[in-house]
Amino acid sequence: MAEPILYSFCRCPYAMRARMALHISGVEKEHREVVLRDKPAAMLEVSPKGTVPVLVTDDGAVLEESLDIMRWALGKNDPEGWLDRQDAELLQATDGPFKHHLDRYKYYTRYEDADPLEHRAQCLDHLKRLNDRLVGQPNLCGEQRGFADIAIFPFVRQCANHDRDWFGSAGIANVAAWLERHVTSDLFAAIMTKYPKWEPEAA
């Protein structure tokens, strides 16, 4: 059977978490790096919505959501037991309200009448919740990193990178330390390899 095909974009946080799950699982795949302003026809053919990541599995199924890709990969092999450390409510709060406010904080010019400081304050409420979860434990669901950490930290990284001075002075030291451990991990380094834009082979 053919290897799974992953359409990805290096800096996309959704793609990051999918790549980390695929990497830790050891699933072999073909990586196709996408330039979002010039999406390949092969990707749009299998996933017309045109967002990354997209995984075409070895049996031809198309997975268009990053959490589904994570669960598929870990269902194949989960050497660190990530699936045992999920938190559905926390994931929903991150992918839903937090991401809503993060977009309007970071990309406020794209949204009519968006007040970036108001949206930053809403982001901080969620970060404080994560900070409380990290009292007395290094990860969101205990001692070991798990699904929740890997699914959430790429978005916290995005928020932190937008204004490092603000993030560093926001009173969320537990989150800052947790984020630093994950962004400096061997796992994160391994999935941030730069790939050239994928081009289909000429007929």
Side-chain angles (χ1 to χ4, degrees):
M1 292 189 294
E3 284 185 345
I5 297 169
L6 177 70
Y7 293 95
S8 181
F9 174 62
C10 185
R11 297 196 304 274
C12 171
Y14 293 104
M16 287 175 188
R17 64 188 186 184
R19 295 198 306 271
M20 283 186 279
L22 286 161
H23 183 84
I24 206 73
S25 75
V27 171
E28 295 292 332
K29 68 184 184 309
E30 178 187 345
H31 183 109
R32 295 182 176 180
E33 186 70 10
V34 173
V35 174
L36 297 178
R37 66 178 179 276
D38 185 20
K39 298 166 188 172
M43 184 185 88
L44 295 173
E45 184 176 344
V46 297
S47 179
K49 71 176 188 172
T51 60
V52 293
V54 174
L55 183 74
V56 182
T57 70
D58 46 8
D59 61 3
V62 178
L63 302 180
E64 300 178 294
E65 300 295 336
S66 56
L67 296 180
D68 291 340
I69 296 172
M70 290 181 71
R71 293 187 176 106
W72 178 87
L74 297 168
K76 298 283 188 182
N77 184 38
D78 187 9
E80 296 186 1
W82 287 5
L83 290 173
D84 295 332
R85 291 183 291 281
Q86 301 189 59
D87 186 316
E89 198 277 331
L90 198 61
L91 289 169
Q92 192 283 323
T94 302
D95 282 20
F98 178 71
K99 184 62 166 65
H100 170 89
H101 292 296
L102 175 58
D103 286 345
R104 285 155 181 79
Y105 164 45
K106 185 174 181 181
Y107 307 113
Y108 64 92
T109 56
R110 301 179 185 176
Y111 299 92
E112 186 176 357
D113 298 327
D115 180 345
L117 296 183
E118 177 183 334
H119 290 291
R120 186 178 72 179
Q122 294 293 328
C123 288
L124 182 57
D125 285 346
H126 185 69
L127 295 173
K128 286 179 176 178
R129 180 180 176 190
L130 299 181
N131 201 68
D132 291 343
R133 282 286 292 268
L134 293 165
V135 172
Q137 61 184 35
N139 289 293
L140 294 171
C141 296
E143 290 297 314
Q144 304 300 319
R145 67 186 179 187
F147 193 99
D149 304 284
I150 301 305
I152 290 171
F153 92 78
F155 299 94
V156 177
R157 172 183 177 270
Q158 193 177 50
C159 184
N161 285 347
H162 187 57
D163 187 337
R164 299 295 306 189
D165 290 339
W166 169 80
F167 187 83
S169 63
I172 46 173
N174 295 332
V175 168
W178 165 82
L179 178 62
E180 181 67 12
R181 286 192 296 273
H182 285 289
V183 298
T184 58
S185 68
D186 290 343
L187 172 61
F188 191 62
I191 65 96
M192 292 302 285
T193 301
K194 295 291 194 298
Y195 287 88
K197 174 188 174 183
W198 175 76
E199 298 280 5
E201 293 182 4

